[in-house]
């Protein structure tokens, strides 16, 4: 609490949080001027330090306004007021930064171009007319250009662009919107665009934006250097252009995100709620998953078989200029500029080498990207925005832990990796790193750890990792040679939700996930635990299914379809479903034998694999082109059916819980017959919908069985919680039992949130 005695006339205020690089000093300067207070302000490693002198009641008012009127991107975490030894001068001054102390200041994220800058950029009389690198203290690049803190121009990739006189004047004028805006630049002194062929040769012409606009309109693939990395762009309305991009990128079915010119164009193609619109237009400008309207003018193959499309608005001045150019398409596919499973390219030469075989042209600039950050992905579910991928705009804003946790490094999971560094109760979750399968991703991972630890000036003294013996991320944690905590995958999923919502447990955790190591010979992934920060007790799970061929079954959902079918056929003989008829007879026979004999066929309680099985039996996905495809398609099918079906027909299948080895299990054996019968007599859509409702009912029944007194609250986690029908159904059913339910919001429910959970548990355990 801030208490200021009325006798004091001079105070010191230490402000911590995101207060550097967000226009905080000019804000304080203007406030002090306006209130006729004397003193000073300086950035330091801790945040900012303010000295203020004046009439006592005015000083009080100043502190109040400091809290309430801070700039939009600033986040005040703590504000400590102490009596000052000496009285400051009459006027207020801004002092140079000091970096003598250990940096504790937070790093601001990259922020989309603001309205004021856009207005200037589109004003022919402005000196930055059509300048694609316009920015101010309220907007522009931050995390992606910062080398170290304190955050000053010299410690960013703007250091190589000395400011011209006009820019310098703005930069030093406390009343200017660009006062101490570190990336401040103009056409005379700042970065510039260039237009190249795939060999890197600069092409003639003096308007790269117009050239790019025309190339895109002509169906070409253009690599565009953005804020946190390269995008590959094509006209989103051209079937041929999209096909060309897919073929060259070897990206067969995976959904592609689309950048629309403006909100009106978004509304033309998608359903947008007021909350979704608010997120699309927020300073973070993430990709938002929106329900599509009729295919309309967009290319057919953007998100095949899915009801949702990843949508974003232009977030850099360059994007804005490009999409508002008269010759440009009004919607562009903007997919990460990378090869499959490799991280997004950031460097011009690297991009030319790696993307030279994909892009017809390169729209480059000469401002270096020091840290790669992918676009963030948000979906609104159960009335709240929920991050599915945490990147640009959100990383590296820390989560403030409400319950203490020792400083620790957590290495994260193998897919959708991100890592976590906890420093003084602040959990820094890295930007999305990706799949730890390619050497490039591993390099990105180790570089990012080094960069974030350097910027935060932390020395890693303890670590946490997954229990899985083969995770490459865990190898990194082992190599640190510090005390290491191995955390069970689904315990970490649960703990991530607990950390975000300030829970210590015990709490019931329902984790519906792809797969995780459980410590025995089975693959975990449809779990009900009782958890706290120390331990977990497994209370129940989805009944085991065969996983014929192990990892191969993940890529070939038809194998799971056969496994679910076989499980059902043990009870009631069924004819082989027609959906599996396209699979060669010999392969079916071999896999049937594998299942029967348990050869190369572990057992799994995975919910993701159950979705695969359902997708196969419904005949919508026998082979998966990308992770999560089958589950997303089952959801899309159910979403379609929900609108077309009477509410009374949507009831779930009967739920059966069985007890085995002291554990309650949700029986999946009767599913195959029910799904196939609905498919035959009604539609696969109805079957998909009733399957969702069955799963929701089954989890609710399981919770009542393990905790009939309704003693515990519930946390929901795991990759399947990205499914809107499932998450919303679970929340409403479990809340109806009288429980408090939490799920991830700022932290992804998928493996992108694992690192936070690992840190939350590992940082709580005493070191061995
Ligand atoms: Zn701005
Ligand atoms: Zn300039
Ligand atoms: Fe997981």
């Amino acid at each position: 609490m801030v208490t200021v005695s009325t006798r004091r006339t001079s105070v010191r205020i230490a402000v911590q949080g995101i207060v550097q690089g967000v226009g905080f000093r000019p804000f304080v300067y203007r406030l002090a001027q306006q209130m006729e207070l004397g003193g000073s302000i300086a950035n330091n490693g801790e945040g900012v330090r303010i000295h203020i002198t004046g009439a006592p009641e005015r000083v009080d008012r100043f502190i109040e306004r400091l809290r309430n009127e801070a700039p939009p991107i600033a986040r005040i975490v703590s504000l400590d007021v102490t009596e000052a030894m000496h009285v400051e001068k009459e006027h207020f001054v801004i002092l140079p930064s000091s970096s003598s102390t250990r940096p504790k200041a937070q790093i601001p994220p990259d922020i989309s171009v603001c309205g004021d800058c856009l207005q200037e950029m589109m004003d022919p009389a402005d000196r930055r007319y059509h300048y694609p690198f316009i920015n101010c203290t309220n907007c522009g690049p931050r995390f992606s250009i910062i080398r170290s803190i304190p955050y000053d121009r010299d410690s960013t990739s703007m250091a190589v662009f000395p400011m011209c006189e006009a820019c310098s004047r703005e930069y030093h004028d406390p009343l200017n919107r660009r006062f101490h805006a570190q990336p401040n630049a103009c056409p005379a002194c700042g970065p510039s665009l260039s237009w190249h062929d795939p060999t890197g040769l600069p092409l003639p012409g003096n308007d790269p934006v117009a050239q790019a606009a025309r190339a895109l309109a002509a169906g070409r693939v253009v690599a565009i250097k953005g804020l946190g990395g390269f995008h590959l762009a094509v006209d989103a309305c051209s079937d041929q252009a999209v096909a060309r991009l897919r073929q060259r990128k070897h990206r067969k079915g995976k959904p592609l995100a689309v950048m629309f010119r403006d909100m009106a164009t978004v509304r033309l193609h998608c359903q947008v709620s007021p909350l979704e619109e608010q997120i699309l237009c927020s300073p973070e400008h993430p990709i938002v998953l929106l329900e599509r309207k009729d295919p309309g003018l967009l290319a057919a193959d953007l998100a095949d078989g899915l009801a949702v499309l990843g949508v974003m608005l232009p977030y850099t001045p360059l994007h804005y200029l490009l999409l508002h150019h008269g010759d440009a398409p009004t919607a562009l596919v903007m997919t990460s500029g990378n090869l499959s499973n490799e991280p997004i390219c950031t460097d011009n030469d690297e991009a030319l080498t790696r993307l030279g075989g994909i892009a017809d042209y390169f729209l480059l600039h000469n401002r270096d990207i020091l840290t790669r950050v992918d676009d963030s992905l948000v979906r609104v579910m159960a009335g709240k925005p929920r991050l599915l991928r945490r990147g640009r705009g959100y990383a590296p804003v820390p989560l403030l832990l409400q319950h203490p946790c020792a400083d620790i490094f957590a290495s994260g999971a193998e897919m959708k990796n991100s890592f976590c560094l906890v420093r003084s109760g602040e959990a820094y979750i890295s930007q999305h790193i990706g799949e730890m399968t390619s050497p490039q991703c591993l390099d990105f991972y180790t570089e990012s750890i080094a960069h974030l630890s350097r910027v935060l000036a932390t020395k890693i003294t303890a670590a946490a990792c997954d229990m899985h013996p083969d995770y490459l991320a865990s190898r990194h944690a082992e190599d640190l040679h510090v005390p290491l905590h191995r955390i069970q995958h689904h315990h970490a999923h649960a703990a991530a939700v607990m950390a975000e919502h300030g829970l210590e447990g015990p709490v019931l955790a329902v984790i519906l996930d792809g797969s995780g190591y459980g410590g025995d010979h089975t693959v975990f992934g449809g779990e009900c635990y009782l958890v706290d920060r120390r331990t977990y007790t497994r209370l129940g799970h989805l009944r085991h299914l065969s996983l014929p061929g192990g990892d191969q079954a993940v890529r070939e959902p038809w194998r799971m379809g056969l496994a679910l079918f076989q499980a059902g056929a043990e009870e009631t003989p069924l004819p082989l479903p027609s959906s599996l008829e396209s699979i060669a007879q010999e392969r079916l026979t071999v896999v049937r034998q594998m299942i029967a004999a348990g050869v190369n066929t572990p057992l799994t309680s995975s919910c993701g694999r159950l979705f695969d099985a359902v997708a196969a039996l419904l005949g919508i996905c026998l082979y998966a082109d990308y992770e999560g495809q089958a589950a997303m398609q089952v959801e899309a099918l159910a979403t379609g059916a929900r609108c077309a079906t009477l509410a009374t027909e949507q009831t779930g299948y009967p739920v059966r819980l069985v007890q085995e080895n002291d554990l309650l299990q949700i029986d999946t054996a009767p599913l195959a017959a029910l799904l196939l019968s609905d498919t035959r007599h009604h539609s696969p859509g109805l079957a998909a919908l009733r399957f969702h409702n069955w799963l929701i009912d089954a989890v609710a029944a399981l919770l009542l069985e393990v905790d009939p007194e309704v003693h515990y609250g519930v946390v929901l986690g795991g990759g399947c919680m990205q499914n809107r029908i499932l998450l919303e159904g679970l929340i409403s059913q479990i809340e109806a039992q009288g429980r408090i339910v939490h799920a991830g919001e700022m932290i992804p429910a998928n493996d992108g949130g694992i690192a936070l959970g690992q840190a939350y548990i590992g940082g709580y355990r005493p070191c061995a």
Side-chain angles (χ1 to χ4, degrees):
M1 276 311 290
V2 182
T3 49
V4 185
S5 147
T6 48
R7 284 190 306 279
R8 272 178 215 153
T9 54
S10 193
V11 293
R12 273 178 70 163
I13 309 168
V15 188
Q16 291 187 15
I18 301 181
V19 289
Q20 294 188 7
V22 293
F24 201 77
R25 285 176 302 175
F27 152 70
V28 171
Y29 180 89
R30 282 192 294 268
L31 192 61
Q33 292 254 304
Q34 199 191 338
M35 298 183 73
E36 292 169 17
L37 294 164
S40 64
I41 181 169
N43 273 352
N44 63 7
E46 308 262 313
V48 297
R49 198 193 56 234
I50 304 167
H51 268 113
I52 202 89
T53 298
E57 58 287 350
R58 215 177 271 183
V59 169
D60 284 355
R61 179 83 188 110
F62 172 84
I63 294 166
E64 207 182 301
R65 292 185 64 183
L66 200 59
R67 280 182 184 284
N68 298 336
E69 297 170 26
I73 322 169
R75 305 243 180 112
I76 297 178
V77 170
S78 70
L79 198 152
D80 289 323
V81 182
T82 47
E83 197 172 347
M85 283 297 131
H86 60 282
V87 170
E88 287 285 332
K89 297 177 189 65
E90 286 299 298
H91 57 285
F92 194 88
V93 290
I94 294 178
L95 301 174
S97 302
S98 78
S99 59
S100 52
T101 45
R102 171 180 181 250
K104 251 199 91 181
Q106 295 175 357
I107 314 141
D110 300 291
I111 294 297
S112 66
V113 57
C114 75
D116 290 338
C117 284
L118 282 182
Q119 213 161 45
E120 289 172 352
M121 186 175 73
M122 301 318 277
D123 175 3
D126 194 276
R127 69 187 188 94
R128 292 190 181 84
Y129 179 58
H130 280 187
Y131 182 56
F133 301 94
I134 190 170
N135 66 83
C136 71
T137 44
N138 297 323
C139 76
R142 298 288 188 274
F143 181 48
S144 62
I145 59 163
I146 293 178
R147 191 171 277 118
S148 57
I149 49 175
Y151 169 60
D152 279 319
R153 193 175 178 103
D154 281 349
S155 50
T156 71
S157 61
M158 286 300 291
V160 296
F161 298 101
M163 270 182 278
C164 70
E165 226 183 275
C167 286
S168 180
R169 225 176 298 125
E170 294 168 334
Y171 182 89
H172 289 106
D173 173 7
L175 296 174
N176 195 285
R177 203 174 85 248
R178 298 198 166 83
F179 177 63
H180 287 192
Q182 306 306 343
N184 187 27
C186 78
C189 66
S192 55
L193 291 175
S194 54
W195 180 243
H196 302 259
D197 79 359
T199 67
L201 198 74
L203 294 169
N206 54 11
D207 191 349
V209 170
Q211 288 167 299
R214 278 175 223 130
L216 287 162
R220 301 289 160 207
V221 180
V222 179
I224 301 174
K225 188 176 187 179
L227 202 50
F230 274 76
H231 279 121
L232 288 162
V234 291
D235 181 356
C237 294
S238 161
D239 286 319
Q240 294 100 314
V242 172
R244 192 172 299 139
L245 174 64
R246 284 200 181 277
Q247 181 229 331
R248 292 191 195 161
K249 208 185 165 188
H250 304 294
R251 184 164 170 163
K252 219 172 131 197
K254 209 168 174 183
L256 299 168
V258 176
M259 183 180 277
F260 288 96
R261 184 169 62 186
D262 47 28
M263 270 315 299
T265 320
V266 174
R267 277 191 219 102
L268 214 58
H269 300 281
C270 302
Q271 309 279 1
V272 203
S273 72
L275 178 56
E276 286 162 338
E277 177 169 348
Q278 195 189 318
I279 304 161
L280 279 169
C281 301
S282 66
E284 292 85 4
H285 261 58
I287 301 173
V288 180
L289 282 186
L290 298 181
E291 230 163 272
R292 286 173 74 165
K293 290 187 179 166
D294 253 320
L297 293 172
L298 291 178
D301 191 21
L302 293 176
D304 203 21
L306 305 184
V308 285
L309 183 69
V311 168
M312 62 183 146
L313 289 172
Y315 58 83
T316 68
L318 172 58
H319 296 149
Y320 189 90
L321 283 177
L322 182 59
L323 278 140
H324 283 80
H325 192 280
D327 292 336
T330 56
L332 292 177
V333 165
M334 291 284 260
T335 184
S336 302
N338 59 359
L339 304 175
S340 295
N341 292 328
E342 287 186 6
I344 187 166
C345 293
T346 52
D347 181 76
N348 288 354
D349 292 336
E350 173 202 14
L352 285 163
T353 316
R354 282 165 56 197
L355 307 178
I358 302 176
D360 298 304
Y361 296 102
F362 283 76
L363 183 56
L364 303 180
H365 63 69
N366 54 350
R367 185 181 69 200
D368 285 345
I369 299 169
L370 297 182
T371 300
R372 68 184 92 225
V373 213
D374 285 272
D375 293 321
S376 295
L377 180 61
V378 171
R379 185 174 198 185
V380 173
M381 294 185 284
K384 285 179 182 161
R386 297 176 195 271
L387 276 170
L388 305 186
R389 184 171 66 217
R390 194 182 157 90
R392 176 184 50 77
Y394 298 92
V397 181
L399 178 84
L400 304 171
L401 298 174
Q402 290 173 43
H403 295 285
C405 167
D407 286 5
I408 193 165
F409 162 78
S411 63
E414 204 73 341
M415 304 298 277
K416 295 187 171 29
N417 176 279
S418 71
F419 61 87
C420 178
L421 275 168
V422 176
R423 188 193 63 175
S424 316
E426 299 167 349
Y428 291 83
I429 299 127
S430 76
Q431 72 273 41
H432 165 84
I433 304 283
E435 326 313 337
M436 301 288 282
T437 43
S438 70
Q440 288 86 349
C441 257
L442 278 174
D443 289 347
F444 176 28
Y445 180 69
T446 45
E447 273 165 31
S448 303
I449 294 169
H451 179 252
L452 196 60
S453 346
R454 187 172 63 240
V455 167
L456 297 175
T458 50
K459 201 175 167 304
I460 296 168
T461 51
C465 69
D466 199 276
M467 266 169 44
H468 197 293
D470 303 326
Y471 275 12
L472 289 172
S474 306
R475 197 81 24 91
H476 183 92
E478 287 160 11
D479 291 345
L480 293 171
H481 302 293
V482 294
L484 181 63
H485 303 279
R486 292 179 190 276
I487 316 291
Q488 201 274 325
H489 190 87
H490 303 105
H491 188 198
H493 267 300
V497 183
M498 292 164 67
E500 183 178 359
H501 295 283
L503 311 175
E504 296 215 277
V507 64
L508 289 166
V510 174
I511 310 299
L512 303 180
D513 200 26
S515 60
Y517 185 79
D520 62 16
H521 52 278
T522 69
V523 179
F524 283 36
E527 308 301 314
C528 176
Y529 291 173
L530 184 66
V531 296
D532 59 24
R533 290 178 75 176
R534 225 176 284 274
T535 55
Y536 65 97
T537 313
R538 195 182 197 196
L539 303 174
H541 58 84
L542 285 172
R543 193 168 172 192
H544 287 140
L545 280 177
S546 301
L547 188 64
D551 281 347
Q552 212 173 342
V554 180
R555 294 185 294 273
E556 300 181 4
W558 69 267
R559 290 169 180 258
M560 291 313 302
L562 195 58
L564 186 62
F565 169 77
Q566 294 270 95
E570 279 170 25
E571 296 189 0
T572 4
L574 290 166
L576 189 76
S578 56
S579 51
L580 296 180
E581 274 167 8
S582 66
I583 307 294
Q585 198 54 50
E586 315 82 83
R587 300 195 73 192
L588 284 173
T589 310
V590 169
V591 171
R592 282 182 117 157
Q593 284 166 351
M594 281 167 68
I595 295 170
V599 176
N600 188 18
T601 298
L603 294 175
T604 184
S605 57
S606 162
C607 188
R609 297 297 80 76
L610 179 61
F611 268 93
D612 288 353
V614 172
L617 290 186
L618 300 185
I620 52 171
C621 184
L622 299 179
Y623 295 90
D625 290 322
Y626 57 94
E627 200 227 335
Q629 179 183 356
M632 285 160 77
Q633 290 186 348
V634 174
E635 183 197 350
L637 204 57
T639 306
R642 189 150 66 161
C643 309
T645 312
L646 294 172
T648 47
E649 293 175 344
Q650 301 182 7
T651 47
Y653 299 124
V655 170
R656 195 165 81 192
L657 299 178
V658 290
Q659 182 97 24
E660 217 176 276
N661 309 324
D662 274 346
L663 288 172
L664 266 175
Q665 302 184 20
I666 296 171
D667 196 2
T668 47
L671 274 180
L674 296 164
L675 289 165
L676 293 171
S677 157
D678 265 347
T679 304
R680 215 172 315 118
H681 298 113
H682 300 279
S683 68
L686 184 71
L689 181 58
R690 295 190 68 192
F691 162 69
H692 277 85
N693 290 337
W694 165 84
L695 185 54
I696 294 160
D697 291 345
V699 168
L702 181 77
L703 288 172
L704 273 187
E705 196 69 28
V706 298
D707 176 31
E709 310 301 38
V710 189
H711 193 68
Y712 297 108
V714 174
V715 293
L716 302 173
C720 298
M721 296 303 173
Q722 300 172 100
N723 178 317
R724 186 167 170 172
I725 299 180
L726 186 59
L727 182 70
E728 293 184 345
L730 284 172
I731 290 177
S732 77
Q733 278 240 25
I734 300 169
E735 279 181 349
Q737 294 180 353
R739 299 178 201 270
I740 294 173
V741 187
H742 290 287
E745 291 169 30
M746 297 305 288
I747 308 301
N750 58 46
D751 283 7
I754 283 280
L756 174 65
Q758 292 170 344
Y760 196 58
I761 301 166
Y764 185 74
R765 285 182 184 165
C767 283

